[in-house]
Amino acid sequence: ITIVRQMRENDITFPWVQTTYSTNTEFHESLEENSMYFGGQHNIHPEVERDVTVGHDLSEWFDLYYETHDSDPTFNSANGYAGMVALTQCMEEAGSANDTGALKEAALNLSGEFNTITGEFAIDETGARTSQNYVVTQNLGKEENLYDRFDIVDPKFPTAEATYPMPGWDER
């Protein structure tokens, strides 16, 4: 947020700027119209349906999240939920929550076998993720709801076309 404010104050522009937290509510609330056109990434969006095979589907998860929290879900919220769903699957497969060897073997056996709200669970033998479930976003809206403020400009799940290059500060 501080860097964007300094860019604005010093009239610094680039054709495209991508920042991790441009899809978080605080980014929009702090910067208001200055949050427009920044790129980011996210792993969930109400308009992107994933083939969820374990856990709540995306629509159910959003409903439950809003019933429980007074904020918009972030990619960290989605990762936390998806991680617990994956861990539950591994514990059931391993028959244990404490046997780390059995849990690792279960995780490797389950790799590529199920999808959560963030996409496919897939890892290599070291436990590193091998599936990329994030999509490229751009802040194009001014609505109240966070997910109406940013659009997906990723070719796999587009909800809008990217604005490139980003307009200068005096054109926003």
Side-chain angles (χ1 to χ4, degrees), residues 123-138:
I123 59 172
D124 67 16
E125 61 281 343
T126 68
R129 289 184 67 179
T130 58
S131 60
Q132 176 53 274
N133 297 312
Y134 283 84
V135 293
V136 179
T137 65
Q138 189 175 31

Side-chain angles (χ1 to χ4, degrees), residues 11-24:
D11 197 28
I12 297 170
T13 59
F14 298 96
W16 180 268
V17 177
Q18 185 149 335
T19 176
T20 304
Y21 293 100
S22 67
T23 56
N24 283 7

Side-chain angles (χ1 to χ4, degrees), residues 86-167:
L87 178 59
T88 301
Q89 295 298 306
C90 293
M91 289 187 304
E92 289 175 2
E93 174 85 5
S96 172
N98 300 316
D99 183 344
T100 56
L103 286 167
K104 180 178 179 180
E105 183 178 334
L108 291 170
N109 290 340
L110 291 171
S111 179
E113 296 296 318
F114 64 86
N115 296 328
T116 69
I117 61 168
T118 61
E120 181 184 33
F121 170 78
I123 59 172
D124 67 16
E125 61 281 343
T126 68
R129 289 184 67 179
T130 58
S131 60
Q132 176 53 274
N133 297 312
Y134 283 84
V135 293
V136 179
T137 65
Q138 189 175 31
N139 297 338
L140 298 172
K142 295 180 180 179
E143 291 79 7
E144 277 297 309
N145 181 299
L146 173 67
Y147 294 93
D148 291 332
R149 291 183 189 162
F150 71 84
D151 283 285
I152 296 176
V153 295
D154 191 300
K156 290 191 298 188
F157 302 105
T159 61
E161 287 192 36
T163 299
Y164 182 88
M166 292 171 56

